Amino acid sequence: MFGMSIQPSPARSERRRNTLSLDVVLTEAVAILDEHGERGLTFRRLTEGLGTGPGGVYWYVQDKADLINLACDRVVANALDAVPEQPGEEPMAVLRGLALAVFDELDRHPWAGPHLTSNPGQQNTLRLLDRFGRLVTEAGLPADQQFYAASAVLNYVVGVGTQMARALSRVVGDTDREDYLAAAVARWEELDEQEFAFVRRVAGTVREHDDREQFTAGLDLLLVGIGRAGGRA
Amino acid sequence: MFGMSIQPSPARSERRRNTLSLDVVLTEAVAILDEHGERGLTFRRLTEGLGTGPGGVYWYVQDKADLINLACDRVVANALDAVPEQPGEEPMAVLRGLALAVFDELDRHPWAGPHLTSNPGQQNTLRLLDRFGRLVTEAGLPADQQFYAASAVLNYVVGVGTQMARALSRVVGDTDREDYLAAAVARWEELDEQEFAFVRRVAGTVREHDDREQFTAGLDLLLVGIGRAGGRA
DNA sequence: ACCTGAACACCGTTCAAGT
DNA sequence: ACCTGAACACCGTTCAAGT
């Protein structure tokens, strides 16, 4: 739905060239990003995979930044498509499902996370914010708190989701395939006990549980808080 | 404090070269990033400003990614230094002050935001998480919720802070200096009324208030929620 | 140990030319 | 309208050589 190309699908007959389209370009770009990471996405590799020249790509895309943004937008589109709107359902349950869909998508495409918060030009991230906002509204949150509550949820989902996705993912920037999270925790346990008192204390507990469960536990903490909150401190 | 170079400060006598140091390199890098954005940070410009060759920089830095990470780490260091630890103070008040310090620092250095969440190798971001964690603990949050509460706060502060910093900042990627936020809101108001029902409704209110105030209002919402939350949904 | 700077491989982007 | 592919300017990184 949201990931489809904007231009009308050309009649699949008559011409034998014109195998290219924004859709095809983005599919290839996402595949390369998944396999080789952000640094691995070069026009050389992209055009090789597509069987075109650079000019062909530039017909559909403004520049490399635009290409990556569009690829990110497609990732978010996947999450949105995975959880269709369900009017009448318990809003917080829907929100939780949507958050998990984003989590799963970030797990599949770990390169996308950092670009989601930073770029407001992405239509589907805005769409995601909109859905969070409507769900939070449905749940009865006062009007003047809705925007920042929705922002908080979006930031939590993307921020924590990105971190955990990188931890789970075996591909980080085309190089290391180790158990990233375990390595991080091990590093944490070597930190100074005074200076990093908190991180050292919780380092063990982070490893123990299932990541997806912890992700939603933190989300629920946020939602329960948002649902109950009445005014400012 | 946290922004200082790791290596011992060399005796400022005897040698007449050796004007370089990690500290000097990072200062110049931050200055370039502030003025020209991330794309504007090239080794050419950097070495011109420093009066060195590329090899000189590579003595202190592993590669460009490392350079940017170190620059980001210094930005967070500034925020940490701005709010020294104050045992005995009201933890939530201290947390709020620390969050605002990060906000201000992201306002000064809008390029840093996207790199903070994505990179766990940054010591000072970890330090920031640790302080949030200790403050949340002091405030009486149950042990099993502390880590994700601290993460939520960190993600809110960095995520929303980055967005607003970009909105306020006049330099975005070396080019446009328009009123970014106003433009964003104007774009929001042109969106489809059905599809973006929430964003369109709140678009007006976002513009009205003072940004810093809204930032803390959202943060307080989160903190009040965290403080009151008892269990999962 | 610290720095120089020429050299290298490569990358994003352009554009005149083709269909 | 859509695509080709050679050409260009530039960029990150290396490394033998200096002090």
Side-chain angles (χ1 to χ4, degrees):
Chain A
M1 273 289 264
F2 299 119
M4 291 295 102
S5 167
I6 293 128
Q7 33 227 270
S9 58
R12 292 243 172 261
S13 44
E14 66 199 31
R15 30 118 223 79
R16 59 152 208 292
R17 218 200 0 227
N18 189 15
T19 145
L20 226 52
S21 71
L22 181 59
D23 202 69
V24 171
V25 170
L26 291 184
T27 301
E28 181 67 21
V30 168
I32 294 174
L33 285 164
D34 288 346
E35 198 177 352
H36 300 102
E38 192 163 336
R39 288 202 63 170
L41 176 65
T42 64
F43 275 79
R44 154 108 85 153
R45 208 181 322 236
L46 183 62
T47 51
E48 262 174 17
L50 292 168
T52 2
V57 174
Y58 273 88
W59 181 259
Y60 295 98
V61 148
Q62 239 165 356
D63 53 22
K64 199 188 175 183
D66 189 35
L67 176 64
I68 290 179
N69 275 331
L70 290 167
C72 287
D73 215 35
R74 175 178 277 214
V75 167
V76 180
N78 293 340
L80 287 168
D81 285 347
V83 183
E85 305 213 24
Q86 307 157 35
E89 290 291 313
E90 221 286 282
M92 284 303 136
V94 178
L95 196 154
R96 208 171 288 116
L98 191 54
L100 272 177
V102 176
F103 179 87
D104 288 338
E105 213 54 43
L106 288 176
D107 185 31
R108 271 189 275 273
H109 312 289
W111 44 268
H115 296 278
L116 297 187
T117 314
S118 58
N119 210 302
Q122 289 164 1
Q123 283 268 16
N124 288 321
T125 303
L126 199 59
R127 226 183 287 263
L128 187 61
L129 177 67
D130 197 86
R131 280 193 71 181
F132 282 146
R134 273 181 284 158
L135 290 164
V136 156
T137 302
E138 264 188 71
L141 197 71
D144 64 318
Q145 306 185 336
Q146 288 163 5
F147 180 71
Y148 280 87
S151 297
V153 170
L154 179 64
N155 280 302
Y156 176 83
V157 169
V158 170
V160 179
T162 301
Q163 295 278 43
M164 307 208 71
R166 300 215 155 188
L168 299 173
S169 156
R170 282 156 307 163
V171 182
V172 179
D174 211 7
T175 48
D176 50 353
R177 294 175 171 263
E178 292 106 322
D179 197 358
Y180 193 75
L181 184 59
V185 170
R187 230 180 301 123
W188 285 7
E189 281 167 346
E190 281 168 14
L191 292 169
D192 183 86
E193 211 161 343
Q194 300 281 354
E195 218 175 350
F196 294 91
F198 172 73
V199 171
R200 285 217 40 174
R201 179 159 56 76
V202 298
T205 64
V206 173
R207 181 160 37 189
E208 277 172 25
H209 308 308
D210 175 60
D211 306 278
R212 250 177 134 232
E213 193 191 315
Q214 286 217 355
F215 174 79
T216 44
L219 180 64
D220 283 340
L221 178 65
L222 199 69
L223 297 181
V224 168
I226 286 171
R228 283 194 194 161
R232 301 173 189 176
Chain B
M1 274 289 268
F2 299 120
M4 291 295 102
S5 167
I6 293 131
Q7 32 225 269
S9 60
R12 292 241 172 262
S13 42
E14 68 201 27
R15 30 110 227 87
R16 59 149 209 290
R17 215 191 12 222
N18 189 15
T19 145
L20 226 53
S21 70
L22 181 59
D23 201 70
V24 171
V25 170
L26 292 184
T27 301
E28 181 66 22
V30 168
I32 293 173
L33 286 163
D34 288 346
E35 196 176 356
H36 300 102
E38 193 164 337
R39 288 202 64 172
L41 176 66
T42 66
F43 275 80
R44 155 106 86 152
R45 210 184 316 240
L46 184 61
T47 50
E48 261 174 18
L50 292 169
T52 1
V57 174
Y58 273 88
W59 180 260
Y60 296 98
V61 149
Q62 238 165 358
D63 53 23
K64 198 189 175 181
D66 188 34
L67 176 65
I68 290 178
N69 275 331
L70 289 168
C72 288
D73 216 35
R74 172 176 281 215
V75 168
V76 180
N78 292 340
L80 286 168
D81 286 345
V83 183
E85 305 212 26
Q86 308 157 35
E89 290 290 314
E90 221 286 280
M92 283 304 137
V94 177
L95 197 154
R96 207 170 289 116
L98 191 54
L100 272 179
V102 175
F103 180 88
D104 288 336
E105 213 53 43
L106 288 176
D107 183 33
R108 271 189 274 274
H109 313 288
W111 44 268
H115 296 277
L116 296 188
T117 315
S118 57
N119 209 301
Q122 289 163 1
Q123 282 269 17
N124 287 322
T125 303
L126 198 59
R127 225 182 288 262
L128 187 61
L129 177 68
D130 197 85
R131 281 193 70 179
F132 281 146
R134 273 181 284 157
L135 290 164
V136 156
T137 303
E138 265 188 71
L141 197 72
D144 64 318
Q145 306 186 337
Q146 290 162 5
F147 180 72
Y148 279 86
S151 296
V153 169
L154 179 64
N155 280 302
Y156 176 84
V157 169
V158 171
V160 177
T162 301
Q163 296 278 44
M164 307 208 73
R166 298 215 159 192
L168 299 174
S169 155
R170 281 158 307 162
V171 181
V172 179
D174 212 7
T175 47
D176 49 354
R177 296 175 169 263
E178 293 105 322
D179 198 357
Y180 192 77
L181 183 60
V185 169
R187 231 181 298 126
W188 285 8
E189 279 168 348
E190 281 167 15
L191 293 169
D192 185 86
E193 211 160 343
Q194 301 280 353
E195 218 175 350
F196 294 90
F198 173 73
V199 171
R200 285 218 37 173
R201 179 160 55 78
V202 299
T205 64
V206 173
R207 181 162 36 187
E208 277 173 24
H209 309 308
D210 175 60
D211 306 278
R212 258 186 120 205
E213 193 190 316
Q214 286 216 355
F215 173 79
T216 43
L219 179 65
D220 284 340
L221 178 67
L222 199 70
L223 297 182
V224 169
I226 286 172
R228 285 193 194 161
R232 302 172 189 178

